[in-house]
Amino acid sequence: MTAEPDGPRAEVLVIGAGASGACVAWSLARAGVDVLCLEQGDWLTEEDLPKSHQDWAVRSRHEWNPNPALRRGPFDYPVDNRGANPVNTYVYSAVGGSAVGWGGAFWRFSPSDFATHRTDGFGRDWPFGYEELEPYYEINEAQMGMSGAAGDPTHPCTSVPPLPPVSMGAMGHRWIAGFEELGWYWWVQHLAIASRDYRGRPACSNRGFCTAGCPTGALAVPGTTYWPEALAAGARLETRARVRRVTVGADGRATGVEYYDAAGELRQATADLVVVAGNGLGTPRLLLMSASPEHPHGLANSSGAVGRGLMIHPQISVVAHFAERTDADHGPWGATATTRHFYETDPANDFRRGFIITAMRGFNPLDTALQTAPWGAGHHRALETHLNHEAVLWVCGDDAAEERNHVRLDHGNLDAWGLPGVITEYTMSENSRRMMETGLARATELARAAGADSVRSFGLESPHGWHLLGTARMGDDPRDSVVDARNRAHDVENLYIVDGSTMPAGGTVNPTNTVQAVALRAADHMIATRDQWSRSLLDRSGISRRWDGVPGTR
Amino acid sequence: MSGAHGGGLIGAVVDRLIPGDGHWPPGGSTVAVRFVEQAIADGGDRGAAVAAVLQGVSGLAARRGGLFAWLPVPVRDAVLGDVEAQPGWSSGFRMLYELACEGYYTDPLVEAVTRERTGFDAARPLTGMPLAPFDERLLDRVRRLPPSYRPVVR
């Protein structure tokens, strides 16, 4: 079936309205570029958010489950996770993408994260450094409304966050006491959560359990930060639009996309520039689905790197038990404090690179019961032992891209439009295992210093997949990477990829701030080169030009 | 007892999965029963698995002397333990337990006991509560520490 060329036209098509797609649409629209974004999901309403409902903990396990294989939402595509350590892949399909059910952790990468191979012989280097992203971090932190504090000696950033730190409560102070007891570096958690009223968003009211949705809007999500301004600036956003392929003309340039609209009609949207922002799963899926006789292994995939090198950040959670109550029923869940004390490579360790430990809060009654309480006579005794007496330390480490860890199409498992799902394959490296063993030991040490009388931990066998990175990596060498240092596909001169899939190395902290900063930087390049790709500008100038890049902008 | 698994089977089973005591209500007197019934009515893999487990409970109870609800408590628990240990039923048994917990901890009566017994107030995630602003003086020691990041020269 061929799509009729009756669909919409724009200068730029953005595929995906999540954290990175929103940034690009916002930036381009404000520069006067005609932008259309196609999003497979829909706008979320307050009704959709679990925490708008008394049974929010139940909804969080089902229709709001971050794992699409368990959620089985109407806009999801199938995801089958395999390998020695099958990843619990967490992605949402909605305006805002996976940044709708998140905790708001909002760190910047450190300078060494961009040069891990050069400094530590680990992973891959970025084709640019931290200083390139710094101005875009500033823009993003203002736009998202980041809370935090200046002066962290474990990071070179000197700018003052737009908002002061969020409240910590007694549990936060208990964790801080632990950090101080050990003499470690630590810092107040940087969060995309409004600690004060900010640009129309109310201050956080400490409801907690942020990943179950924030009905007040204190937690920054693209739908309340970037999108209102992008739409006001003229961007268009079409929801429930399932893109099935990027189309390419005889000249090798992208011409647009074929997609199913909300009514299920196959349409062709055309554009001068196509931007893919589908995250570490959706982006390789779309590129691989866009295979053609000219691109038999998938679009932009002459390197074979599309889908390869999946990174997830090895993670382990240590649940500390305290004799005292832990106030688990309130306070921003991801906040209190984080240490980068173990961030860099330490020759004394048996692994390279390092990890953070983020001190968080406790679980709700349902999750506590399911984690700790047996059925039968001992049920309530166990619940009373654990509920409101626990808090979580989350260890997150650096992960090198390995070719065996990948995403591929699953033609045996189709979505509602008959398009293939994806299979992820992930096996944790020995370096990651050793790193997490040390992280577990250090987190246990911190728990004890904070007054915990015991700890339990979740294993490594089926890791969290909040951070899906590296599957369309950036690099200077077209033989070994998918996009260049400006996020432009090596193989298709008017195709950009702007999400976390382009990260050649994933750093050690939560990546959303960096994903968005990279997207904003890429958008600036699109704007700077508009006279080379925009048909309306070329028609107006009356001259024929071909893309020749912008010298000196690296 | 209700639904296709009448005779009080669901309530009796949930009563043993989450027994009551002097403080906590038994599962069978809460909305946990409705959660299980609804899952069975909804069908699908989960509903079918849970229904199969309940059939298994009923069958094993019959072999031990009668309706599950009429058996002595230790025998009821032994029946459930046997069902849980059956490879063909173990995942369905876990689903049944999860459903029971989902319903139980959503029941307003249980929420009130939870608040009384553990201090966890289920209303707070819906309403929030004020907390004192973070006192940045807590950062003073760390602020005075030397820089601890690796500069990278390109």
Side-chain angles (χ1 to χ4, degrees):
Chain A
M1 185 164 55
T2 305
E4 295 299 321
D6 62 345
R9 155 143 193 94
E11 267 186 288
V12 177
L13 270 178
V14 178
I15 315 305
S20 60
C23 289
V24 170
W26 174 84
S27 191
L28 295 181
R30 282 159 46 96
V33 178
D34 174 27
V35 187
L36 170 63
C37 179
L38 300 177
E39 163 57 43
Q40 65 186 1
D42 210 342
W43 286 94
L44 293 175
T45 66
E46 188 172 337
E47 173 70 18
D48 295 318
L49 305 179
K51 243 175 38 246
S52 299
H53 304 273
Q54 187 256 350
D55 63 346
W56 62 271
V58 177
R59 291 170 187 252
S60 296
R61 287 171 44 79
H62 298 289
E63 59 263 45
W64 191 257
N65 195 305
N67 186 337
L70 300 174
R71 182 177 61 231
R72 299 180 179 179
F75 309 120
D76 295 324
Y77 51 81
V79 181
D80 181 9
N81 301 306
R82 302 180 186 176
N85 306 101
V87 179
N88 268 311
T89 48
Y90 297 152
V91 290
Y92 286 95
S93 299
V95 174
S98 298
V100 297
W102 70 316
F106 220 59
W107 296 106
R108 296 183 184 192
F109 278 14
S110 287
S112 66
D113 289 326
F114 296 85
T116 56
H117 185 73
R118 189 147 50 90
T119 57
D120 294 318
F122 181 88
R124 296 170 181 274
D125 288 346
W126 288 61
F128 57 84
Y130 167 78
E131 63 284 353
E132 272 278 329
L133 276 191
E134 193 156 44
Y136 299 101
Y137 279 127
E138 303 267 346
I139 294 167
N140 195 45
E141 289 159 5
Q143 192 65 19
M144 295 286 277
M146 187 185 80
S147 297
D152 180 359
T154 64
H155 197 278
C157 172
T158 57
S159 60
V160 178
L163 292 164
V166 298
S167 300
M168 281 191 180
M171 190 62 231
H173 292 133
R174 191 174 290 137
W175 286 132
I176 290 171
F179 284 122
E180 291 290 291
E181 167 80 14
L182 294 167
W184 292 355
Y185 286 87
W186 64 273
W187 204 248
V188 62
Q189 182 78 8
H190 283 195
L191 290 163
I193 293 177
S195 55
R196 294 179 182 157
D197 292 355
Y198 185 75
R199 297 188 181 181
R201 290 165 43 214
C204 175
S205 57
N206 305 306
R207 293 183 180 202
F209 306 101
C210 308
T211 54
C214 180
T216 70
L219 173 67
V221 297
T224 58
T225 54
Y226 279 100
W227 275 114
E229 292 184 18
L231 296 173
R236 291 171 285 157
L237 174 54
E238 183 174 339
T239 59
R240 303 176 66 181
R242 174 57 59 101
V243 176
R244 74 170 192 175
R245 61 182 300 169
V246 177
T247 54
V248 178
D251 60 357
R253 293 169 60 89
T255 56
V257 301
E258 293 174 356
Y259 74 104
Y260 296 97
D261 67 13
E265 296 295 322
L266 182 60
R267 307 185 75 187
Q268 167 88 51
T270 55
D272 302 332
L273 198 72
V274 175
V275 179
V276 179
N279 93 18
L281 298 190
T283 286
R285 176 180 186 245
L286 178 58
L287 295 175
L288 295 172
M289 288 196 304
S290 301
S292 65
E294 293 74 30
H295 303 277
H297 304 296
L299 189 61
N301 196 25
S302 64
S303 64
V306 170
R308 295 277 159 189
L310 172 67
M311 297 177 288
I312 61 162
H313 284 150
Q315 302 166 40
I316 193 165
S317 292
V318 174
V319 186
H321 182 273
F322 297 87
E324 306 83 9
R325 288 179 174 174
T326 53
D327 298 339
D329 56 6
H330 62 268
W333 211 82
T336 60
T338 284
T339 179
R340 297 203 216 204
H341 198 88
F342 309 100
Y343 201 91
E344 303 288 353
T345 295
D346 180 347
N349 288 331
D350 58 358
F351 59 88
R352 285 178 283 181
R353 298 300 293 164
F355 55 85
I356 59 168
I357 304 174
T358 294
M360 300 159 75
R361 301 184 187 278
F363 295 109
N364 64 55
L366 174 58
D367 288 340
T368 302
L370 294 178
Q371 289 173 25
T372 68
W375 69 267
H379 182 89
H380 289 120
R381 187 168 59 249
L383 184 91
E384 291 185 14
T385 297
H386 294 278
L387 180 61
N388 209 16
H389 287 275
E390 291 185 330
V392 176
L393 293 170
W394 176 67
V395 182
C396 174
D398 204 348
D399 188 13
E402 297 182 80
E403 296 303 293
R404 67 178 172 179
N405 295 329
H406 69 270
V407 175
R408 65 177 187 271
L409 295 180
D410 185 357
H411 292 282
N413 208 359
L414 308 180
D415 69 11
W417 293 263
L419 303 174
V422 298
I423 294 169
T424 71
E425 291 267 0
Y426 189 84
T427 297
M428 190 167 287
S429 71
E430 194 53 37
N431 191 78
S432 292
R433 283 192 178 281
R434 290 173 184 163
M435 180 189 291
M436 289 298 103
E437 284 167 10
T438 299
L440 176 62
R442 297 286 82 78
T444 301
E445 194 179 346
L446 172 59
R448 297 286 186 186
D453 53 30
S454 63
V455 299
R456 60 187 176 95
S457 73
F458 301 141
L460 287 171
E461 300 317 309
S462 188
H464 293 304
W466 288 112
H467 309 154
L468 302 164
L469 308 169
T471 51
R473 61 179 172 254
M474 177 189 293
D476 289 328
D477 186 351
R479 296 168 301 180
D480 188 45
S481 56
V482 180
V483 299
D484 67 16
R486 291 292 182 174
N487 293 77
R488 190 176 64 168
H490 291 300
D491 297 350
V492 184
E493 64 184 16
N494 64 336
L495 176 69
Y496 280 75
I497 302 167
V498 297
D499 54 61
S501 68
T502 65
M503 289 186 170
T508 304
V509 290
N510 312 61
T512 303
N513 195 6
T514 301
V515 167
Q516 293 185 296
V518 169
L520 290 169
R521 178 176 175 272
D524 264 7
H525 185 249
M526 298 172 210
I527 294 165
T529 58
R530 187 181 178 191
D531 63 342
Q532 297 173 33
W533 53 260
S534 171
R535 202 168 70 190
S536 59
L537 291 190
L538 292 175
D539 290 347
R540 206 178 303 159
S541 69
I543 55 175
S544 175
R545 297 171 69 174
R546 58 167 285 110
W547 193 301
D548 56 6
V550 180
T553 55
R554 276 273 313 276
Chain B
M1 206 56 193
S2 51
H5 301 275
L9 178 60
I10 294 175
V13 167
V14 175
D15 267 351
R16 293 315 306 153
L17 294 177
I18 310 176
D21 60 20
H23 305 286
W24 297 88
S29 66
T30 70
V31 296
V33 173
R34 203 167 71 225
F35 269 59
V36 176
E37 290 173 342
Q38 188 63 50
I40 293 171
D42 289 346
D45 293 346
R46 184 172 68 159
V50 170
V53 163
L54 289 170
Q55 277 188 338
V57 169
S58 193
L60 286 184
R63 283 158 53 183
R64 295 215 182 200
L67 293 179
F68 179 82
W70 295 357
L71 297 173
V73 164
V75 179
R76 277 185 258 165
D77 287 353
V79 166
L80 293 178
D82 287 348
V83 170
E84 182 184 28
Q86 288 276 344
W89 287 333
S90 59
S91 74
F93 187 88
R94 178 66 190 180
M95 290 179 198
L96 173 62
Y97 178 57
E98 290 179 358
L99 277 167
C101 287
E102 288 180 359
Y104 189 79
Y105 289 103
T106 304
D107 192 303
L109 177 61
V110 175
E111 288 186 346
V113 179
T114 302
R115 183 165 56 247
E116 176 193 321
R117 298 289 298 165
T118 72
F120 189 101
D121 185 348
R124 283 185 175 151
L126 303 176
T127 60
M129 65 171 290
L131 283 176
F134 178 70
D135 181 355
E136 291 204 29
R137 289 175 299 183
L138 291 167
L139 293 166
D140 283 351
R141 179 191 67 84
V142 183
R143 276 190 210 278
R144 289 194 297 271
L145 294 174
S148 176
Y149 59 88
R150 289 165 72 184
V152 175
V153 179
R154 293 194 68 79

